[in-house]
Amino acid sequence: IVHPKEEHFLPVGYFDYGEMNYKRFKTYIIDYVKAVPELDKVEWIYYIDIDVLFGAPFIELAYVLESRYNLNDIPEHLSKLYFFENAWDKFILQGGFFVLHRRNSKFCLDAWRQEIDNLPHWKFDQMALNQIFENHKENKEMRCHLITMERDNYMIEYPTSDEEVQALMDAPRLPNLIHIRNTYTAVHYTEGLREDFIAKVLELTEEEKKDSEFTKTTHFGASADE
């Protein structure tokens, strides 16, 4: 869990969309990890947005990614970040989950934050990732390489409608990660289906659902002002 410093906030009103101020925090993730002595030996870091649910054991996914992308080795030369491909055509990468190395990835994180700050009218941090990706492809920025990780079955899903949520519930198993995108899609899931979905992810029994307070406290659509 990140603990932002006061200097990591830009003045209120700098961004057209207030949530962009706290979306910058993920670009300081190495600073936050270094501030925790217990994490001194951690080299590879998995960043996960707060609105990403675990539908299956994360260790399964980690094993696949570490093997496929050599995440046990220390990257050399280029600064790198590893992202899943996006489900939206207008965005190349999905910024809600990424993998980084504490000694290698700082340049890319700084570049991402700079692109976010350069265009305060943007609403999504993925737009800044698009810009870095295009700059690298056009040889304008060769020091940062954004790696696109293939999104195989059951790795990660981004349900955007009741129909897609129901399809996940009816599938043989849930994906390892489910990015519900709190303020953009989950807030629009039909009430009832939304709670049933969360109960399935949490593997609650019918009795636990009756006794649980989760249906009263599940909160979607929090804004930057709350």
Side-chain angles (χ1 to χ4, degrees), residues 97-111:
F97 171 89
F98 59 94
V99 187
L100 63 145
H101 191 274
R102 71 182 297 151
R103 286 179 283 162
N104 170 271
S105 300
K106 188 176 186 305
F107 183 88
C108 280
L109 291 171
D110 291 345

Side-chain angles (χ1 to χ4, degrees), residues 54-146:
F54 292 87
F58 180 75
I59 193 66
E60 297 175 357
L61 177 61
Y63 282 147
V64 173
L65 298 182
E66 288 171 9
S67 173
R68 184 177 294 178
Y69 299 101
N70 299 316
L71 298 186
N72 289 313
D73 298 332
I74 299 176
E76 298 179 357
H77 309 303
L78 287 177
S79 182
K80 296 178 181 178
L81 294 173
Y82 300 75
F83 295 88
F84 276 118
E85 56 191 355
N86 211 314
W88 293 1
D89 290 339
K90 65 179 179 179
F91 298 138
I92 302 167
L93 307 170
Q94 223 301 323
F97 171 89
F98 59 94
V99 187
L100 63 145
H101 191 274
R102 71 182 297 151
R103 286 179 283 162
N104 170 271
S105 300
K106 188 176 186 305
F107 183 88
C108 280
L109 291 171
D110 291 345
W112 188 7
R113 182 171 61 256
Q114 182 176 343
E115 291 294 345
I116 290 174
D117 295 350
N118 282 347
L119 291 169
H121 307 301
W122 290 359
K123 187 175 183 179
F124 302 99
D125 54 358
Q126 288 96 326
M127 292 180 176
L129 289 176
N130 275 11
Q131 189 62 52
I132 297 173
F133 194 91
E134 293 299 329
N135 287 346
H136 184 84
K137 190 166 65 175
E138 297 172 7
N139 297 325
K140 294 179 181 178
E141 175 51 78
M142 299 305 296
R143 291 169 293 177
C144 172
H145 189 193
L146 305 183

